[in-house]
């Protein structure tokens, strides 16, 4: 929260800019992809135990798509068409991802309180925008930036700067909220921004930087940012 002079030199209260990660922060991308893989294995009569292998190769989406596609093709190419493997990677998670009611309610509250929420996500534009629109997030945030579209990936400063520019606001005073120590919290640290790390039950292990606050889930993270800015 900050005060700015408006028309007639009146002081106006400006609520903070919230820069929100998408995958495994606003939405449970891993759960959606896991469901897609279970369906994929069952549909093609492949061992259900391969779920662990596929999830490890995917690494929560951090492994490059072409590398995952190559690994799956090497393992299943004699049984599963390449187009089916590509469909799993392109739309498997996007078609199944959901927005938790608590996250939806908290975003609506943030919007009602005057916060500006912008999604900042790494990934491919078509896939990430599908998640945003399929879950209704496009109605709950004021904008989004996707790494493919801006040519920069978190934790690079440029993607956060692009997010602020999307809504014509300065970065100063913004909060970064996300689940990745490297992409989200390190990015905030480099820019001198406040941050909330969504732990999902994990312990913090980085020694060179720390989040401003830790939270169990994104709803708690957003509520903290709003309260701390008040």
């Amino acid at each position: 929260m900050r005060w700015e002079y408006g028309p007639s030199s009146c002081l106006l209260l400006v609520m903070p800019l919230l820069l929100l990660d998408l995958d495994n922060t606003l939405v449970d991308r891993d759960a959606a992809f896991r469901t897609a893989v279970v369906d994929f294995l069952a549909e093609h009569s492949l061992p259900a135990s391969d779920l662990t292998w596929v999830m490890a190769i995917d690494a929560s989406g951090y492994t490059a798509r072409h590398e995952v596609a190559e690994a799956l093709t090497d393992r299943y190419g004699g049984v599963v068409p390449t187009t089916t493997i590509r469909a799993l990677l392109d739309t498997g998670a996007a078609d199944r991802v959901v927005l938790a009611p608590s996250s939806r309610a908290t975003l609506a509250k943030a919007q009602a309180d005057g916060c500006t929420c912008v999604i900042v996500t790494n990934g491919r534009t078509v896939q990430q925008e599908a998640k945003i629109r399929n879950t209704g997030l496009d109605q709950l945030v004021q904008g989004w930036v996707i790494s493919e579209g801006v040519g920069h990936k978190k934790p690079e400063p440029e993607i956060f700067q692009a997010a602020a520019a999307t809504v014509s606001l300065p970065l100063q005073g913004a909060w970064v909220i996300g689940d990745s120590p490297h992409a989200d919290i390190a990015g905030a640290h480099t820019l001198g921004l406040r941050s909330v790390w969504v732990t999902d039950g994990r312990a913090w292990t980085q020694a060179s930087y720390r989040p401003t606050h830790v939270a169990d889930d994104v709803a708690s993270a957003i509520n903290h940012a709003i309260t701390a800015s008040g």
Side-chain angles (χ1 to χ4, degrees):
M1 180 182 71
R2 65 185 187 277
W3 293 90
E4 291 183 354
Y5 283 101
S8 303
S9 298
C10 294
L11 276 174
L12 300 176
L13 179 64
V14 180
M15 292 300 289
L17 169 63
L18 306 183
L19 304 179
L20 303 159
D21 176 51
L22 178 63
D23 289 332
N24 297 322
T25 298
L26 282 172
V27 298
D28 192 340
R29 180 264 179 198
D30 283 355
F33 186 66
R34 185 179 295 108
T35 299
V37 174
V38 168
D39 293 345
F40 167 84
L41 295 173
E43 180 181 350
H44 298 284
S45 301
L46 299 169
S49 57
D50 277 11
L51 173 64
T52 301
W53 176 81
V54 176
M55 296 302 293
I57 291 293
D58 173 69
S60 294
Y62 283 103
T63 306
R65 176 189 177 279
H66 72 275
E67 293 180 13
V68 181
E70 288 174 4
L72 294 179
T73 300
D74 287 344
R75 193 176 184 100
Y76 305 125
V79 179
V80 182
T82 301
T83 53
T84 302
I85 291 173
R86 290 174 179 167
L88 169 66
L89 301 181
D90 289 342
T91 64
D95 287 349
R96 293 168 175 79
V97 75
V98 297
L99 183 63
S102 60
S103 300
R104 187 180 302 278
T106 304
L107 283 170
K109 179 181 182 296
Q111 192 174 55
D113 286 348
C115 295
T116 301
C117 299
V118 179
I119 295 171
V120 186
T121 177
N122 290 345
R124 289 173 291 134
T125 300
V126 171
Q127 187 179 62
Q128 299 302 76
E129 284 197 344
K131 295 174 188 173
I132 291 169
R133 298 186 191 283
N134 289 348
T135 55
L137 278 167
D138 58 326
Q139 302 300 312
L140 294 167
V141 299
Q142 284 67 58
W144 56 82
V145 291
I146 300 168
S147 62
E148 184 182 67
V150 298
H152 294 280
K153 296 177 64 175
K154 294 185 295 183
E156 296 172 16
E158 291 85 354
I159 191 169
F160 297 102
Q161 293 162 353
T166 296
V167 289
S168 301
L169 290 175
L171 264 178
Q172 183 181 6
W175 286 83
V176 176
I177 296 174
D179 72 300
S180 171
H182 171 69
D184 301 308
I185 309 306
H189 176 76
T190 298
L191 287 164
L193 303 177
R194 295 171 293 180
S195 61
V196 185
W197 182 51
V198 179
T199 69
D200 193 27
R202 297 167 295 164
W204 184 262
T205 59
Q206 304 297 321
S208 59
Y209 60 91
R210 298 188 62 83
T212 308
H213 182 73
V214 298
D216 292 334
D217 54 58
V218 70
S220 300
I222 293 171
N223 280 325
H224 174 82
I226 296 172
T227 302
S229 299

